[in-house]
Amino acid sequence: MATTDIAGFCTCSSSYASSTVLHSRRRVSPPSLELEDAVECAGRTGSSVLGAYGGFLQMPEGHRARRVGSGGGRAGDEFEEDPFFPEAGYSMLATDRVLRDMYVPCDPPPEVATGGRGRRIKGDLLCHQLAELARHGTTVTAHPEKAQALLESFSKRLGESQGSQMLINLHELITPITDLGSLSSIPSHEEMNSIINTLPPDRAPGPDGYNEMFMKKCWQIISHDYYKLAEQFFLQEISIQNLNKSYITLLPKKPNPDSTNDYGPISLQNSSLKFISKIMANRLQPRILELVHKNQYGFIKSRTIQDCLAWAFEFIHQCQQSRRPIVIIKIDFEKAFDSVEHNAILAMLKAKGFDDTWIHCTKEILSTSSSSVLLNGVPGKFFDCKRGVKQGDPISPLLFVLAADLLQSMTNRALSNGILSLPIPTHDLKFPIIQYADDTLIIMKACQKEIFNLKGILQSYSESTGLKINYQKSCMIHINVLEEDKDILSKTFGCQSGNLPFTYLGLPVGTTKPKIIDFAPLIDRVERRLPAVTMFLNHGQRLTLVNFVLSSLPTYYMCSLKIPKKVIDHIDRARRHCLWRKSPNLSANSHSLAAWDLVCRPKSKGGLGIINLELQNIALLMKHLDKFYNRKDVPWVNLIWNKYYASKDTPPHALRETGSFWWKDILRLNTIFRAISNITPNQGDSFLFWKDLWSNDILQESMTNLFSFASNEDISLKAFQNQELHQNFKLPLSGGSHATIKQSLV
């Protein structure tokens, strides 16, 4: 078996600012270590594990690595490439066997191969090849030309600042938060240990080749180095430029991408930099609600995308019921995450009240960043990132949200100055605009003058932040607007006209319940996940495919909408076909071996444990009732309570149905929700005295005789207590009944 001395492969400096990696060019087989060997080696050295790329282990002098398994190649294979740099033809894979197959020779494209026997990355990581790319009107297939096209595109997108200047006086527009200094304190060891414990272990590694599994397994060895790194970073004693490198992996935005604009960049960062960024993100997340407006939903833990859609459904319904002419402007920003200017982010941080230390740390993360685009597993040239935030960095989404929140501050100031006005009377005096990251809806009066004013506000916003609006992809939806006025209003803003329902955050949004045709994308997605090869799988494999793939596809829809029965039947038909199929034709009849109701039972009840989509839809929607009855501080909850139930003492489920189709569908589930929930009385105005479970028993059932004399069967606990006891009954109570009621109220 081939072995090699790797003592000279890497030597890491104790300085984090500038470290060097010394390597020996020998004709050797690529080493492969077991995790136990790595821990033992690192334990004997006690040296720094942070190198120029972060995460390298320093091995003791004379230690010899032994090959294990068959993943590292055949004995006798010779390689001359430097194993520390994937550019040389190696891929460092950090999996749950962190160092077992650390250096796995990858299979470079034929046009860049330098000879020798090439092999594929373990796990077939190169199965999705970028075969061709459009460049300057022609299609290129050679690797150097594709790499140059990607370099030109992303270096222009991320590496060239547009020099935008902040045109708004932020200190007059934004009220700073005064107690944010604690965010910049030196992190404690307990805080850093908790971050390591919560890191997902299976994320893709960055240029250093190590993922979070390595950090978890070797934390006792490397923790002191990371403690020192974090301390020096927050004390502003070091530069992280050598660590702040990332690979950009390309995520297709559509089924058949052909140009660089059809790919989204996802950054794979070094583990040490991700550790620093995670500290900042965990500190900022609990305070983010104080720093942004209430209708800012993206990347905020206490707010979900379902809350954003719920507010949209209900507010648009109220706009339609008002009979007033109103427009909804759906704004599309051009590559928002890649184009936001760093100066705009830093200016917003200063205006929000962050101290100089936090601003310096943020600037260090943004300004020292460099990236390289991965093309079929081969990294390209590195370029400096002069603008944008990295998708994949823990702190970047929150920084983007803070910068994007400037638009809500500007529209609210315009509202207070009379430049804009509210589309409908409401309890909330803020301008109705909702943002989920870069997906923005603006709801306003159908007034040509106000639309012109809004366009001027958006222009100032774009020039200040670098977020450019794509007017060709933006659209205007009209509510209660005359046909002859629709085209005038759309041309005033410079966008195309749209109709209800329109797609927002992947779901149909409108004033009426979605039709079956509106769920066509979901049905199509399910059917496209039925490959013909499933007929060659055994029943256990098919069951796994049904439960973990086909059954999960409708989940996003079911979290917000009541799925029609016909749509569920169509999905169930596809799931049955996958489970019992004997033909690749979807329309062919498949003879089921068991009834579908039996199959959907839990395994403990004799079924196969396949998810019942109708029951799952109900369970997911009932989460909205939990927020509603507990009056969570969520915009749609406040909107519905203040609009329909603010002046009523009767609980919502005892009143006539009102509101949007979405809210009616949710409220109809209250019978199930009340049957499985237990109530802890607070104000007592959201549940029924007789019919809800707020005591040990439902009083309607435990006090049948008293209930038969109740003057109001649907009275709330609050209303019951606000009246004299005898007023709640048709006849005077006996002494025993009076004592029983008093006891239940204790």
Side-chain angles (χ1 to χ4, degrees):
M1 180 176 294
T3 60
T4 180
D5 185 352
I6 64 171
F9 267 111
C10 58
T11 301
C12 303
S13 170
S14 60
S15 171
Y16 297 101
S18 59
S19 303
T20 58
V21 178
L22 305 179
H23 57 88
S24 174
R25 282 193 170 278
R26 308 174 184 175
R27 298 182 64 82
V28 296
S29 299
S32 181
L33 303 178
E34 287 181 329
L35 177 62
E36 293 79 9
D37 293 336
V39 174
E40 180 183 0
C41 296
R44 290 202 297 265
T45 63
S47 303
S48 171
V49 297
L50 294 174
Y53 286 86
F56 292 145
L57 278 175
Q58 181 181 9
M59 300 302 175
E61 185 68 29
H63 179 77
R64 305 184 67 84
R66 61 185 180 86
R67 182 184 308 279
V68 295
S70 59
R74 293 183 295 273
D77 288 346
E78 294 183 341
F79 297 86
E80 197 169 12
E81 294 83 5
D82 181 359
F84 284 108
F85 297 94
E87 296 93 327
Y90 290 92
S91 175
M92 291 179 285
L93 304 178
T95 63
D96 55 342
R97 300 170 299 173
V98 180
L99 299 178
R100 174 172 294 183
D101 292 308
M102 185 190 303
Y103 310 118
V104 182
C106 65
D107 187 12
E111 55 268 31
V112 298
T114 57
R117 294 185 295 272
R119 276 165 283 163
R120 299 185 64 83
I121 291 180
K122 180 179 291 187
D124 201 21
L125 297 180
L126 294 180
C127 59
H128 300 290
Q129 296 281 335
L130 198 158
E132 59 183 31
L133 201 62
R135 182 190 182 197
H136 303 317
T138 61
T139 301
V140 295
T141 57
H143 182 88
E145 295 179 0
K146 292 184 292 185
Q148 184 63 28
L150 292 172
L151 177 63
E152 292 175 357
S153 176
F154 285 99
S155 61
K156 183 178 181 180
R157 187 191 304 184
L158 297 168
E160 296 181 6
S161 174
Q162 302 300 312
S164 300
Q165 299 294 326
M166 183 60 66
L167 305 179
I168 301 103
N169 189 338
L170 297 180
H171 298 287
E172 293 184 359
L173 185 66
I174 299 173
T175 302
I177 307 297
T178 58
D179 58 341
L180 297 177
S182 60
L183 299 180
S184 305
S185 61
I186 298 175
S188 64
H189 291 185
E190 291 75 15
E191 179 183 357
M192 290 184 277
N193 292 340
S194 65
I195 288 176
I196 295 298
N197 293 333
T198 57
L199 286 176
D202 56 350
R203 297 295 172 87
D208 60 5
Y210 297 98
N211 66 359
E212 288 73 9
M213 175 61 76
F214 169 80
M215 299 177 67
K216 287 175 176 288
K217 294 291 186 179
C218 300
W219 184 243
Q220 292 183 350
I221 303 169
I222 65 178
S223 58
H224 296 288
D225 295 309
Y226 279 88
Y227 294 157
K228 186 177 180 181
L229 171 64
E231 178 182 353
Q232 293 181 349
F233 178 74
F234 281 96
L235 290 175
Q236 307 177 34
E237 296 178 352
I238 60 171
S239 172
I240 59 172
Q241 185 171 2
N242 290 336
L243 299 176
N244 199 357
K245 298 179 182 294
S246 64
Y247 285 151
I248 293 178
T249 183
L250 303 178
L251 186 66
K253 296 180 180 178
K254 61 181 186 180
N256 297 309
D258 56 1
S259 68
T260 56
N261 290 331
D262 297 333
Y263 292 92
I266 304 298
S267 295
L268 308 179
Q269 290 187 303
N270 285 329
S271 56
S272 49
L273 180 69
K274 192 180 293 185
F275 173 74
I276 292 293
S277 183
K278 189 66 175 177
I279 294 175
M280 298 181 66
N282 283 8
R283 290 182 169 190
L284 181 56
Q285 186 65 245
R287 305 297 302 273
I288 193 68
L289 289 177
E290 307 172 40
L291 300 166
V292 298
H293 290 81
K294 66 182 183 67
N295 269 339
Q296 189 74 250
Y297 294 91
F299 313 110
I300 300 176
K301 285 188 176 180
S302 59
R303 297 177 185 174
T304 66
I305 194 171
Q306 286 77 30
D307 295 329
C308 181
L309 290 163
W311 189 91
F313 282 126
E314 188 56 40
F315 194 82
I316 292 173
H317 167 79
Q318 294 183 17
C319 290
Q320 193 266 343
Q321 292 294 313
S322 70
R323 307 295 182 183
R324 300 186 179 197
I326 294 170
V327 295
I328 304 171
I329 302 177
K330 182 182 177 184
I331 296 179
D332 180 86
F333 290 102
E334 295 182 1
K335 299 176 176 60
F337 285 91
D338 302 334
S339 60
V340 60
E341 293 287 343
H342 294 169
N343 290 335
I345 295 176
L346 299 176
M348 284 295 294
L349 292 178
K350 186 174 182 180
K352 293 285 187 180
F354 289 90
D355 61 10
D356 294 338
T357 301
W358 182 273
I359 295 175
H360 177 272
C361 292
T362 304
K363 184 179 180 180
E364 184 74 11
I365 289 178
L366 296 176
S367 62
T368 63
S369 174
S370 60
S371 297
S372 169
V373 182
L374 285 175
L375 174 58
N376 297 335
V378 179
K381 295 181 180 179
F382 277 92
F383 60 88
D384 294 333
C385 299
K386 301 297 184 182
R387 64 171 179 169
V389 293
K390 293 181 179 179
Q391 301 182 57
D393 179 31
I395 191 63
S396 290
L398 299 178
L399 297 178
F400 179 84
V401 167
L402 290 173
D405 193 64
L406 175 61
L407 180 58
Q408 299 213 15
S409 299
M410 294 175 66
T411 53
N412 289 334
R413 177 57 61 89
L415 176 64
S416 61
N417 292 340
I419 299 175
L420 300 175
S421 60
L422 293 174
I424 58 174
T426 177
H427 72 284
D428 187 9
L429 300 180
K430 303 295 183 180
F431 192 78
I433 171 174
I434 53 176
Q435 292 178 289
Y436 189 89
D438 60 331
D439 293 297
T440 303
L441 286 185
I442 299 177
I443 305 174
M444 62 183 302
K445 184 185 297 184
C447 173
Q448 189 175 5
K449 179 181 178 181
E450 292 194 12
I451 293 176
F452 185 80
N453 293 338
L454 176 66
K455 190 170 183 179
I457 294 172
L458 292 173
Q459 184 67 25
S460 299
Y461 173 75
S462 297
E463 294 179 2
S464 299
T465 62
L467 297 174
K468 305 298 181 182
I469 297 176
N470 188 341
Y471 288 97
Q472 293 182 348
K473 291 186 178 180
S474 302
C475 68
M476 179 179 292
I477 298 96
H478 308 86
I479 300 177
N480 304 326
V481 177
L482 298 176
E483 288 294 331
E484 55 268 24
D485 295 336
K486 291 182 178 180
D487 191 53
I488 297 175
L489 296 174
S490 297
K491 288 183 177 179
T492 300
F493 189 73
C495 67
Q496 58 185 344
S497 297
N499 298 310
L500 291 173
F502 63 96
T503 301
Y504 181 61
L505 298 176
L507 293 185
V509 176
T511 57
T512 58
K513 183 176 295 189
K515 301 177 182 178
I516 295 179
I517 190 63
D518 296 322
F519 294 93
L522 171 61
I523 297 174
D524 180 65
R525 193 177 302 123
V526 172
E527 291 182 349
R528 284 191 286 109
R529 288 299 185 97
L530 283 175
V533 295
T534 55
M535 62 181 297
F536 300 108
L537 302 177
N538 59 44
H539 284 296
Q541 294 168 335
R542 295 185 190 184
L543 180 63
T544 301
L545 180 64
V546 169
N547 270 338
F548 292 97
V549 179
L550 300 183
S551 298
S552 64
L553 291 176
T555 301
Y556 178 65
Y557 281 77
M558 293 192 296
C559 286
S560 296
L561 295 173
K562 184 72 167 64
I563 306 298
K565 186 67 168 62
K566 289 186 177 180
V567 175
I568 293 180
D569 290 343
H570 199 99
I571 298 175
D572 283 345
R573 176 172 168 266
R575 295 198 297 167
R576 285 196 303 270
H577 190 77
C578 178
L579 188 61
W580 309 119
R581 71 188 302 181
K582 295 181 179 180
S583 168
N585 186 7
L586 183 61
S587 60
N589 292 328
S590 300
H591 298 286
S592 302
L593 301 183
W596 189 247
D597 291 340
L598 175 62
V599 168
C600 290
R601 292 180 185 177
K603 292 182 179 180
S604 59
K605 302 295 183 181
L608 294 180
I610 292 180
I611 295 174
N612 186 316
L613 294 182
E614 190 171 1
L615 294 180
Q616 187 188 34
N617 191 191
I618 294 173
L620 292 172
L621 292 179
M622 283 198 298
K623 294 192 295 184
H624 295 287
L625 287 177
D626 176 68
K627 293 181 180 180
F628 175 75
Y629 281 114
N630 287 292
R631 299 200 179 189
K632 299 291 186 181
D633 188 19
V634 181
W636 72 265
V637 173
N638 297 327
L639 179 67
I640 292 179
W641 272 108
N642 288 298
K643 178 65 177 179
Y644 305 123
Y645 311 113
S647 59
K648 298 179 175 64
D649 290 333
T650 305
H653 49 271
L655 297 172
R656 184 177 62 87
E657 287 184 350
T658 185
S660 64
F661 78 90
W662 174 83
W663 176 237
K664 290 178 180 178
D665 284 343
I666 299 297
L667 193 57
R668 287 171 189 149
L669 302 176
N670 76 84
T671 303
I672 302 175
F673 178 77
R674 290 157 52 208
I676 62 176
S677 60
N678 192 11
I679 301 170
T680 301
N682 189 5
Q683 296 181 2
D685 58 346
S686 61
F687 61 91
L688 300 175
F689 176 81
W690 293 105
K691 299 180 180 180
D692 287 333
L693 183 61
W694 60 274
S695 184
N696 294 329
D697 300 299
I698 297 178
L699 300 184
Q700 178 184 359
E701 300 174 356
S702 60
M703 302 181 181
T704 308
N705 293 333
L706 283 175
F707 175 72
S708 64
F709 295 105
S711 58
N712 183 3
E713 297 181 358
D714 293 330
I715 192 172
S716 66
L717 174 63
K718 180 180 179 180
F720 189 94
Q721 292 178 322
N722 288 340
Q723 297 183 147
E724 294 293 335
L725 188 59
H726 68 275
Q727 296 177 342
N728 294 306
F729 298 92
K730 301 174 183 177
L731 298 174
L733 295 179
S734 63
S737 299
H738 191 279
T740 302
I741 291 292
K742 284 291 186 181
Q743 181 64 29
S744 66
L745 295 176
V746 175

